[in-house]
Amino acid sequence: LYRNGKQATVFVKVLGEYTQRDMGDADKGFFSNMVELSPTYQAITSGEPGHSVGRAVTITRVVAEELGGIKGKRLVGTGYPPLPGFELVSPVSFFFADDTGLLRQATYDLKAIMQGQIDRSRAMNPGSPAVKLEEFAITSDWTEAAVDTDPLGLDPALTFTPGPSDHKVNDFNTADNEDSVQHRLIGTSAPAFAATTLAGKSISLSDVKGRVVLLQFWSSAEPASTAALTIFNSMDIVYRPKGVAFLGVNHDHATMTTQSRIIATAKGAAFPQVADPEKTITNAYRVALVPCTILIDKEGVIRSISQGFDGPAQIEIAAKLDKLLAGEPLPVTVAPAPFTPPAQLKPAKPAEPAAPATPPATPVEEPKKP
């Protein structure tokens, strides 16, 4: 979001799109509601249980310290963590800079809460493996953020400058259709990447060069994408011997790595899970919504992009994989075969009652034509 006093601009990096408008008198409050999304505003003044940023409840002590070269004070107490619908109080701390008074870091320690949930789950499933958390916390950090010392927008750094591949639009297009920015990638070379997995192993796209590749983008915050992990693992068992490489791409924050790994394991996903905490891979593939599935052919060219996942989508993706393995071009859409019940399951057609016997009708002679 950019406001320089003359124009208001919203730039969505993953789409490479931005909207821009001049600010008249009626636009002086353009995006003024953004103040309600301020971490300080929610965490300190008016946050409620279930808000996306969290809330402090009590402050028990104040400690002077230095963080990243910034001198300040850390307020320590308890509060609600930044998890929607989460109403269990946990230890929290907030670090404020002495020079500006601004909030520079907020930390929520969820170790005890999450360990309790894991232990209760294991008690219900005695055969499941024991998990002992060493650390589980959520931290929002602004120690490297630049402080806006010119709110009137006179600093040129506050003016948006589009890049060579950025497009100005009236409305953002995140739809799953041929007009979206993401679908323009179809037919182009898949962006290369090198990263680590959730398990800490090095991995790159070049490791599976020459194979058909399925990328599944997911987040622990999106239930549909985590549920798809189980289905894709079943498909991986079938298609891996045929030459298909399944790769999950998880773009949760680095503080969620342990939790994301636990979720992937719980869902039975045995195929590699690439960690993308900075969303480098996600942005390169223009993934705005998850679950998102991208198919790459043996030559490294993107051939299919689909969002969402359900039963018909599984059939469609399997059909596309079969065609890519056979070296056949993909149609625009691959419709799943209609379900036809077996013959023995079709209900027998009831017998129609016999018509009552009627005497034959007396033929009527037609009048002769003159």
mmCIF file of all heavy atoms in Angstrom, residues 299-335:
data_model
loop_
_atom_site.group_PDB
_atom_site.id
_atom_site.type_symbol
_atom_site.label_atom_id
_atom_site.label_comp_id
_atom_site.label_asym_id
_atom_site.label_seq_id
_atom_site.Cartn_x
_atom_site.Cartn_y
_atom_site.Cartn_z
ATOM 1 N N GLU A 299 9.919 -31.489 -20.298
ATOM 2 C CA GLU A 299 10.831 -30.472 -20.822
ATOM 3 C C GLU A 299 10.917 -29.254 -19.908
ATOM 4 O O GLU A 299 11.586 -28.274 -20.241
ATOM 5 C CB GLU A 299 10.384 -30.029 -22.221
ATOM 6 C CG GLU A 299 10.682 -31.039 -23.319
ATOM 7 C CD GLU A 299 9.793 -32.276 -23.212
ATOM 8 O OE1 GLU A 299 8.589 -32.109 -22.878
ATOM 9 O OE2 GLU A 299 10.293 -33.395 -23.444
ATOM 10 N N GLY A 300 10.224 -29.281 -18.772
ATOM 11 C CA GLY A 300 10.284 -28.161 -17.844
ATOM 12 C C GLY A 300 9.357 -27.024 -18.179
ATOM 13 O O GLY A 300 9.581 -25.887 -17.749
ATOM 14 N N VAL A 301 8.284 -27.300 -18.931
ATOM 15 C CA VAL A 301 7.323 -26.276 -19.333
ATOM 16 C C VAL A 301 6.038 -26.447 -18.528
ATOM 17 O O VAL A 301 5.543 -27.566 -18.359
ATOM 18 C CB VAL A 301 7.018 -26.365 -20.843
ATOM 19 C CG1 VAL A 301 5.954 -25.343 -21.246
ATOM 20 C CG2 VAL A 301 8.294 -26.146 -21.651
ATOM 21 N N ILE A 302 5.506 -25.348 -18.039
ATOM 22 C CA ILE A 302 4.244 -25.385 -17.297
ATOM 23 C C ILE A 302 3.109 -25.701 -18.262
ATOM 24 O O ILE A 302 2.936 -25.031 -19.279
ATOM 25 C CB ILE A 302 3.985 -24.044 -16.596
ATOM 26 C CG1 ILE A 302 5.072 -23.779 -15.550
ATOM 27 C CG2 ILE A 302 2.604 -24.023 -15.947
ATOM 28 C CD1 ILE A 302 4.963 -22.415 -14.887
ATOM 29 N N ARG A 303 2.313 -26.725 -17.937
ATOM 30 C CA ARG A 303 1.240 -27.157 -18.827
ATOM 31 C C ARG A 303 -0.145 -27.029 -18.224
ATOM 32 O O ARG A 303 -1.133 -27.032 -18.959
ATOM 33 C CB ARG A 303 1.468 -28.618 -19.253
ATOM 34 C CG ARG A 303 2.692 -28.823 -20.126
ATOM 35 C CD ARG A 303 2.625 -27.967 -21.367
ATOM 36 N NE ARG A 303 3.778 -28.174 -22.249
ATOM 37 C CZ ARG A 303 4.034 -27.426 -23.319
ATOM 38 N NH1 ARG A 303 3.221 -26.417 -23.626
ATOM 39 N NH2 ARG A 303 5.111 -27.654 -24.055
ATOM 40 N N SER A 304 -0.233 -26.912 -16.899
ATOM 41 C CA SER A 304 -1.552 -26.838 -16.274
ATOM 42 C C SER A 304 -1.453 -26.126 -14.931
ATOM 43 O O SER A 304 -0.505 -26.324 -14.189
ATOM 44 C CB SER A 304 -2.133 -28.245 -16.078
ATOM 45 O OG SER A 304 -3.341 -28.207 -15.322
ATOM 46 N N ILE A 305 -2.463 -25.285 -14.647
ATOM 47 C CA ILE A 305 -2.588 -24.602 -13.360
ATOM 48 C C ILE A 305 -4.033 -24.683 -12.930
ATOM 49 O O ILE A 305 -4.935 -24.329 -13.684
ATOM 50 C CB ILE A 305 -2.153 -23.122 -13.453
ATOM 51 C CG1 ILE A 305 -0.680 -23.014 -13.884
ATOM 52 C CG2 ILE A 305 -2.372 -22.416 -12.126
ATOM 53 C CD1 ILE A 305 -0.220 -21.588 -14.113
ATOM 54 N N SER A 306 -4.270 -25.169 -11.729
ATOM 55 C CA SER A 306 -5.642 -25.271 -11.231
ATOM 56 C C SER A 306 -5.689 -24.894 -9.764
ATOM 57 O O SER A 306 -4.759 -25.163 -9.007
ATOM 58 C CB SER A 306 -6.193 -26.685 -11.430
ATOM 59 O OG SER A 306 -5.375 -27.646 -10.784
ATOM 60 N N GLN A 307 -6.770 -24.249 -9.380
ATOM 61 C CA GLN A 307 -6.982 -23.849 -8.002
ATOM 62 C C GLN A 307 -8.121 -24.660 -7.411
ATOM 63 O O GLN A 307 -9.021 -25.095 -8.115
ATOM 64 C CB GLN A 307 -7.299 -22.353 -7.911
ATOM 65 C CG GLN A 307 -6.150 -21.463 -8.363
ATOM 66 C CD GLN A 307 -6.551 -20.002 -8.429
ATOM 67 O OE1 GLN A 307 -7.688 -19.655 -8.176
ATOM 68 N NE2 GLN A 307 -5.599 -19.145 -8.791
ATOM 69 N N GLY A 308 -8.080 -24.847 -6.097
ATOM 70 C CA GLY A 308 -9.104 -25.647 -5.444
ATOM 71 C C GLY A 308 -8.828 -27.128 -5.637
ATOM 72 O O GLY A 308 -8.008 -27.527 -6.472
ATOM 73 N N PHE A 309 -9.506 -27.957 -4.855
ATOM 74 C CA PHE A 309 -9.286 -29.393 -4.978
ATOM 75 C C PHE A 309 -10.483 -30.140 -4.410
ATOM 76 O O PHE A 309 -10.932 -29.867 -3.307
ATOM 77 C CB PHE A 309 -8.022 -29.817 -4.231
ATOM 78 C CG PHE A 309 -7.599 -31.230 -4.522
ATOM 79 C CD1 PHE A 309 -6.915 -31.534 -5.685
ATOM 80 C CD2 PHE A 309 -7.915 -32.254 -3.653
ATOM 81 C CE1 PHE A 309 -6.529 -32.825 -5.967
ATOM 82 C CE2 PHE A 309 -7.531 -33.558 -3.916
ATOM 83 C CZ PHE A 309 -6.840 -33.846 -5.079
ATOM 84 N N ASP A 310 -11.007 -31.084 -5.216
ATOM 85 C CA ASP A 310 -12.092 -31.945 -4.772
ATOM 86 C C ASP A 310 -12.004 -33.253 -5.548
ATOM 87 O O ASP A 310 -11.031 -33.507 -6.266
ATOM 88 C CB ASP A 310 -13.453 -31.267 -4.981
ATOM 89 C CG ASP A 310 -13.648 -30.768 -6.413
ATOM 90 O OD1 ASP A 310 -12.921 -31.243 -7.323
ATOM 91 O OD2 ASP A 310 -14.511 -29.916 -6.621
ATOM 92 N N GLY A 311 -13.035 -34.099 -5.423
ATOM 93 C CA GLY A 311 -13.014 -35.389 -6.105
ATOM 94 C C GLY A 311 -12.858 -35.281 -7.613
ATOM 95 O O GLY A 311 -11.964 -35.913 -8.198
ATOM 96 N N PRO A 312 -13.698 -34.481 -8.286
ATOM 97 C CA PRO A 312 -13.537 -34.319 -9.742
ATOM 98 C C PRO A 312 -12.167 -33.777 -10.127
ATOM 99 O O PRO A 312 -11.615 -34.146 -11.160
ATOM 100 C CB PRO A 312 -14.656 -33.331 -10.111
ATOM 101 C CG PRO A 312 -15.698 -33.552 -9.063
ATOM 102 C CD PRO A 312 -14.925 -33.834 -7.802
ATOM 103 N N ALA A 313 -11.596 -32.884 -9.286
ATOM 104 C CA ALA A 313 -10.269 -32.326 -9.598
ATOM 105 C C ALA A 313 -9.215 -33.415 -9.586
ATOM 106 O O ALA A 313 -8.282 -33.402 -10.401
ATOM 107 C CB ALA A 313 -9.921 -31.234 -8.589
ATOM 108 N N GLN A 314 -9.338 -34.372 -8.683
ATOM 109 C CA GLN A 314 -8.379 -35.482 -8.630
ATOM 110 C C GLN A 314 -8.416 -36.282 -9.920
ATOM 111 O O GLN A 314 -7.374 -36.648 -10.479
ATOM 112 C CB GLN A 314 -8.702 -36.390 -7.438
ATOM 113 C CG GLN A 314 -7.767 -37.593 -7.326
ATOM 114 C CD GLN A 314 -8.192 -38.552 -6.229
ATOM 115 O OE1 GLN A 314 -9.170 -38.306 -5.529
ATOM 116 N NE2 GLN A 314 -7.472 -39.646 -6.084
ATOM 117 N N ILE A 315 -9.620 -36.559 -10.418
ATOM 118 C CA ILE A 315 -9.761 -37.296 -11.673
ATOM 119 C C ILE A 315 -9.163 -36.505 -12.829
ATOM 120 O O ILE A 315 -8.471 -37.049 -13.694
ATOM 121 C CB ILE A 315 -11.253 -37.609 -11.943
ATOM 122 C CG1 ILE A 315 -11.819 -38.478 -10.815
ATOM 123 C CG2 ILE A 315 -11.427 -38.296 -13.290
ATOM 124 C CD1 ILE A 315 -13.313 -38.705 -10.913
ATOM 125 N N GLU A 316 -9.406 -35.194 -12.821
ATOM 126 C CA GLU A 316 -8.906 -34.335 -13.901
ATOM 127 C C GLU A 316 -7.380 -34.282 -13.892
ATOM 128 O O GLU A 316 -6.736 -34.392 -14.943
ATOM 129 C CB GLU A 316 -9.482 -32.934 -13.733
ATOM 130 C CG GLU A 316 -9.017 -31.947 -14.793
ATOM 131 C CD GLU A 316 -9.652 -30.582 -14.616
ATOM 132 O OE1 GLU A 316 -10.775 -30.513 -14.080
ATOM 133 O OE2 GLU A 316 -9.022 -29.599 -15.021
ATOM 134 N N ILE A 317 -6.783 -34.125 -12.704
ATOM 135 C CA ILE A 317 -5.325 -34.058 -12.605
ATOM 136 C C ILE A 317 -4.698 -35.389 -13.017
ATOM 137 O O ILE A 317 -3.670 -35.424 -13.712
ATOM 138 C CB ILE A 317 -4.907 -33.676 -11.178
ATOM 139 C CG1 ILE A 317 -5.308 -32.221 -10.897
ATOM 140 C CG2 ILE A 317 -3.406 -33.860 -10.976
ATOM 141 C CD1 ILE A 317 -5.127 -31.803 -9.463
ATOM 142 N N ALA A 318 -5.307 -36.505 -12.618
ATOM 143 C CA ALA A 318 -4.786 -37.820 -13.006
ATOM 144 C C ALA A 318 -4.815 -37.986 -14.522
ATOM 145 O O ALA A 318 -3.867 -38.522 -15.117
ATOM 146 C CB ALA A 318 -5.606 -38.920 -12.330
ATOM 147 N N ALA A 319 -5.896 -37.525 -15.148
ATOM 148 C CA ALA A 319 -5.989 -37.618 -16.605
ATOM 149 C C ALA A 319 -4.901 -36.784 -17.286
ATOM 150 O O ALA A 319 -4.314 -37.203 -18.296
ATOM 151 C CB ALA A 319 -7.375 -37.164 -17.068
ATOM 152 N N LYS A 320 -4.619 -35.621 -16.703
ATOM 153 C CA LYS A 320 -3.572 -34.773 -17.274
ATOM 154 C C LYS A 320 -2.195 -35.406 -17.103
ATOM 155 O O LYS A 320 -1.347 -35.338 -18.002
ATOM 156 C CB LYS A 320 -3.610 -33.389 -16.626
ATOM 157 C CG LYS A 320 -4.827 -32.559 -17.013
ATOM 158 C CD LYS A 320 -4.786 -31.201 -16.338
ATOM 159 C CE LYS A 320 -5.970 -30.349 -16.766
ATOM 160 N NZ LYS A 320 -5.951 -29.004 -16.123
ATOM 161 N N LEU A 321 -1.952 -36.013 -15.943
ATOM 162 C CA LEU A 321 -0.673 -36.684 -15.720
ATOM 163 C C LEU A 321 -0.471 -37.813 -16.723
ATOM 164 O O LEU A 321 0.637 -38.005 -17.253
ATOM 165 C CB LEU A 321 -0.606 -37.231 -14.290
ATOM 166 C CG LEU A 321 -0.460 -36.200 -13.170
ATOM 167 C CD1 LEU A 321 -0.518 -36.886 -11.806
ATOM 168 C CD2 LEU A 321 0.845 -35.423 -13.305
ATOM 169 N N ASP A 322 -1.530 -38.573 -17.010
ATOM 170 C CA ASP A 322 -1.428 -39.665 -17.980
ATOM 171 C C ASP A 322 -1.020 -39.126 -19.348
ATOM 172 O O ASP A 322 -0.194 -39.729 -20.050
ATOM 173 C CB ASP A 322 -2.762 -40.408 -18.076
ATOM 174 C CG ASP A 322 -3.070 -41.202 -16.807
ATOM 175 O OD1 ASP A 322 -2.119 -41.541 -16.082
ATOM 176 O OD2 ASP A 322 -4.256 -41.472 -16.554
ATOM 177 N N LYS A 323 -1.605 -38.005 -19.742
ATOM 178 C CA LYS A 323 -1.290 -37.428 -21.049
ATOM 179 C C LYS A 323 0.142 -36.887 -21.093
ATOM 180 O O LYS A 323 0.847 -37.063 -22.089
ATOM 181 C CB LYS A 323 -2.292 -36.319 -21.400
ATOM 182 C CG LYS A 323 -3.688 -36.837 -21.772
ATOM 183 C CD LYS A 323 -4.581 -35.704 -22.215
ATOM 184 C CE LYS A 323 -5.913 -36.245 -22.710
ATOM 185 N NZ LYS A 323 -5.744 -37.039 -23.967
ATOM 186 N N LEU A 324 0.571 -36.241 -20.030
ATOM 187 C CA LEU A 324 1.935 -35.719 -20.000
ATOM 188 C C LEU A 324 2.952 -36.850 -20.025
ATOM 189 O O LEU A 324 3.997 -36.743 -20.683
ATOM 190 C CB LEU A 324 2.145 -34.853 -18.758
ATOM 191 C CG LEU A 324 1.398 -33.518 -18.729
ATOM 192 C CD1 LEU A 324 1.637 -32.803 -17.405
ATOM 193 C CD2 LEU A 324 1.836 -32.628 -19.891
ATOM 194 N N LEU A 325 2.671 -37.940 -19.341
ATOM 195 C CA LEU A 325 3.574 -39.091 -19.363
ATOM 196 C C LEU A 325 3.645 -39.710 -20.740
ATOM 197 O O LEU A 325 4.690 -40.228 -21.156
ATOM 198 C CB LEU A 325 3.112 -40.142 -18.348
ATOM 199 C CG LEU A 325 3.322 -39.789 -16.866
ATOM 200 C CD1 LEU A 325 2.616 -40.797 -15.971
ATOM 201 C CD2 LEU A 325 4.813 -39.726 -16.535
ATOM 202 N N ALA A 326 2.523 -39.642 -21.474
ATOM 203 C CA ALA A 326 2.487 -40.194 -22.826
ATOM 204 C C ALA A 326 2.999 -39.209 -23.869
ATOM 205 O O ALA A 326 3.047 -39.537 -25.064
ATOM 206 C CB ALA A 326 1.053 -40.621 -23.164
ATOM 207 N N GLY A 327 3.367 -37.997 -23.426
ATOM 208 C CA GLY A 327 3.864 -36.992 -24.362
ATOM 209 C C GLY A 327 2.778 -36.360 -25.191
ATOM 210 O O GLY A 327 3.041 -35.780 -26.245
ATOM 211 N N GLU A 328 1.537 -36.446 -24.737
ATOM 212 C CA GLU A 328 0.416 -35.887 -25.487
ATOM 213 C C GLU A 328 0.107 -34.476 -24.987
ATOM 214 O O GLU A 328 0.265 -34.179 -23.803
ATOM 215 C CB GLU A 328 -0.825 -36.769 -25.318
ATOM 216 C CG GLU A 328 -0.640 -38.195 -25.817
ATOM 217 C CD GLU A 328 -1.865 -39.052 -25.558
ATOM 218 O OE1 GLU A 328 -2.892 -38.480 -25.119
ATOM 219 O OE2 GLU A 328 -1.806 -40.277 -25.780
ATOM 220 N N PRO A 329 -0.361 -33.601 -25.886
ATOM 221 C CA PRO A 329 -0.718 -32.240 -25.453
ATOM 222 C C PRO A 329 -1.972 -32.274 -24.587
ATOM 223 O O PRO A 329 -2.837 -33.134 -24.749
ATOM 224 C CB PRO A 329 -0.961 -31.505 -26.770
ATOM 225 C CG PRO A 329 -1.349 -32.583 -27.743
ATOM 226 C CD PRO A 329 -0.557 -33.798 -27.346
ATOM 227 N N LEU A 330 -2.051 -31.325 -23.678
ATOM 228 C CA LEU A 330 -3.221 -31.257 -22.815
ATOM 229 C C LEU A 330 -4.307 -30.419 -23.464
ATOM 230 O O LEU A 330 -4.033 -29.357 -24.031
ATOM 231 C CB LEU A 330 -2.857 -30.623 -21.467
ATOM 232 C CG LEU A 330 -1.894 -31.394 -20.573
ATOM 233 C CD1 LEU A 330 -1.737 -30.659 -19.246
ATOM 234 C CD2 LEU A 330 -2.380 -32.806 -20.332
ATOM 235 N N PRO A 331 -5.543 -30.882 -23.413
ATOM 236 C CA PRO A 331 -6.646 -30.049 -23.886
ATOM 237 C C PRO A 331 -6.859 -28.895 -22.921
ATOM 238 O O PRO A 331 -6.284 -28.865 -21.818
ATOM 239 C CB PRO A 331 -7.834 -31.014 -23.891
ATOM 240 C CG PRO A 331 -7.494 -32.024 -22.853
ATOM 241 C CD PRO A 331 -5.996 -32.178 -22.913
ATOM 242 N N VAL A 332 -7.700 -27.980 -23.314
ATOM 243 C CA VAL A 332 -7.974 -26.834 -22.449
ATOM 244 C C VAL A 332 -8.550 -27.305 -21.126
ATOM 245 O O VAL A 332 -8.177 -26.864 -20.062
ATOM 246 C CB VAL A 332 -8.936 -25.849 -23.139
ATOM 247 C CG1 VAL A 332 -9.283 -24.698 -22.199
ATOM 248 C CG2 VAL A 332 -8.316 -25.322 -24.419
ATOM 249 N N THR A 333 -9.472 -28.237 -21.176
ATOM 250 C CA THR A 333 -10.025 -28.842 -19.966
ATOM 251 C C THR A 333 -10.115 -30.342 -20.177
ATOM 252 O O THR A 333 -10.284 -30.814 -21.290
ATOM 253 C CB THR A 333 -11.427 -28.303 -19.649
ATOM 254 O OG1 THR A 333 -12.295 -28.561 -20.762
ATOM 255 C CG2 THR A 333 -11.394 -26.811 -19.363
ATOM 256 N N VAL A 334 -9.994 -31.063 -19.109
ATOM 257 C CA VAL A 334 -10.145 -32.515 -19.153
ATOM 258 C C VAL A 334 -11.330 -32.871 -18.288
ATOM 259 O O VAL A 334 -11.247 -32.838 -17.059
ATOM 260 C CB VAL A 334 -8.884 -33.238 -18.647
ATOM 261 C CG1 VAL A 334 -9.080 -34.741 -18.671
ATOM 262 C CG2 VAL A 334 -7.687 -32.845 -19.484
ATOM 263 N N ALA A 335 -12.481 -33.146 -18.897
ATOM 264 C CA ALA A 335 -13.697 -33.445 -18.146
ATOM 265 C C ALA A 335 -13.634 -34.860 -17.598
ATOM 266 O O ALA A 335 -13.242 -35.793 -18.306
ATOM 267 C CB ALA A 335 -14.921 -33.291 -19.049
#
